[in-house]
Amino acid sequence: MDTNTSIEQNLTSTLNVVDNLDMGLAQDIQNQLIPLYTSKYGAFFQQMIFDIPLANLLLAILVFLFILVLRKVFTRIILGFLQRLAKHSKTFYDDRIISALKEPLRFAFIIMALHFFFLLIFKETVFIKTILNTLVIYTIFWAMLAITEALRELFYDLTAKFNPDLSREMGNFILAILKIVIGGIGLAAILQTWGINVTALIASLGLGGLAFALAAKDTAANLFGSFALLADKSIRIGEWVKVGGVEGVVEDVGMRTTKIRSFQKTLITVPNQLVANQPIENFSRRGIRRIKMHIGLTYGTTSQQLVKIKSDIEAMLRSHKGISQKDSLMVFFDSFGDSSLDIFIYTFTATANWANYLEIREDIHLKIMQIVEENGSSFAFPSQSIYVEQLPPAQS
């Protein structure tokens, strides 16, 4: 046999992990039935039900139920003891790992029970063995993914050492890549279990590599877009942003898309390449908020009243604890409007919080109304004056 033929057989051979699962215990159990078959009740126990000896069928059912009982004992006693022990440790990662492994381990007992059951009734065919092998591999990689998820906070702590501001985004990104790798290896192992030549399959996919690359160019662009977002630190989860025509709070920055929750509570999914290539208005990065307004006074207001009102408004703003005194603060008589004398007010609040901003702005509005009233003036509203030069003569 040449080297190429040997390699090909190794690649196409099925992955078998079940044969040694019972460590020869099933054969030992089967040997215990020999005295039963040779006893005076041997004829009864040798009766065939669905081509299965009655003694083997009864024993298979008892072993299956016994393993299920062991499963419950293992979950409640052993895992319970480990969880209590883990609570005394200095870290909480061991608690999460034990909790994450609970369901995969419980499922492993069911696989073992099925393996013993089919062995004892002589029905573990190649097909059933392949299914059991698949379930074993699935459980192993299920446990690996569960451990990875349990260590999510550890990834956040590690990425925080490189970039504290984007620790969650970078941690989520690394976790997603790691899960894809684990899932890919698990899928390859399952395919190998069914005798599929994984290497040949990957090579055959290479024949359509160009078509795949063309089809996946948008995915690649989104992937590099996510790298750009993480590197530029332009957005973070929980921030209020506006990207193009999309405005809301960032809920997730993934490998392919960014999810933004609008203020109408709809979830908007934006491809990362669009986010990275468009202007991003990040409202959460500001420490102040602007107040910009015009107030119109009636034309009956005298110049002295106007100057006094303007001066009082500016003094009020400069003494207001909710107004930022380090930023621009302007109050000017701006223009002669069509129906009012317009005063321009431009300032910034000392907070960017939306609710606090509204409270400060409301307080300023009320104080401006009070200033205008105290100075004997009033606010104008759109109006027109009509002057009649001559009335038509009265008709008798």
Side-chain angles (χ1 to χ4, degrees), residues 37 49-50 52-62 117 120-121:
Y37 281 125
I49 301 177
F50 302 111
I52 304 169
L54 177 60
N56 277 76
L57 181 59
L58 293 175
L59 182 61
I61 294 173
L62 289 175
F117 180 81
L120 292 174
I121 64 173

Side-chain angles (χ1 to χ4, degrees), residues 138-204:
Y138 169 79
T139 305
I140 292 172
F141 284 91
W142 176 13
M144 293 173 64
L145 289 172
I147 292 174
T148 303
E149 182 62 31
L151 296 176
R152 178 177 291 273
E153 293 295 332
L154 177 61
F155 282 93
Y156 292 160
D157 293 339
L158 293 175
T159 52
K161 296 179 181 179
F162 299 96
N163 192 332
D165 294 332
L166 289 174
S167 60
R168 298 187 69 84
E169 289 85 347
M170 293 177 64
N172 289 336
F173 188 82
I174 294 173
L175 275 171
I177 294 292
L178 186 58
K179 286 182 178 181
I180 290 175
V181 172
I182 294 174
I185 296 174
L187 178 60
I190 290 175
L191 293 176
Q192 190 74 20
T193 299
W194 289 88
I196 298 174
N197 190 335
V198 179
T199 305
L201 179 62
I202 295 174
S204 65

Side-chain angles (χ1 to χ4, degrees), residues 166 232-236 239-240 282-287:
L166 289 174
D232 293 340
K233 307 178 185 179
S234 51
I235 61 175
R236 294 175 59 189
E239 289 186 330
W240 170 18
N282 194 321
F283 299 101
S284 296
R285 299 287 175 90
R286 61 186 179 186

Side-chain angles (χ1 to χ4, degrees), residues 97-121:
I97 291 175
I98 294 172
S99 298
L101 290 176
K102 182 177 179 180
E103 291 304 320
L105 288 174
R106 284 168 56 85
F107 190 66
F109 275 92
I110 294 178
I111 298 174
M112 186 178 295
L114 290 172
H115 174 54
F116 275 100
F117 180 81
F118 286 114
L119 273 180
L120 292 174
I121 64 173

Side-chain angles (χ1 to χ4, degrees), residues 338-339 382-388:
D338 293 336
S339 56
S383 61
Q384 291 182 336
S385 298
I386 299 176
Y387 297 92
V388 180

Side-chain angles (χ1 to χ4, degrees), residues 71-87:
R71 171 174 173 255
K72 182 169 289 188
V73 171
F74 177 83
T75 302
R76 291 191 176 182
I77 298 179
I78 298 180
L79 284 184
F81 171 75
L82 291 176
Q83 286 178 328
R84 289 191 298 271
L85 192 64
K87 290 180 179 179

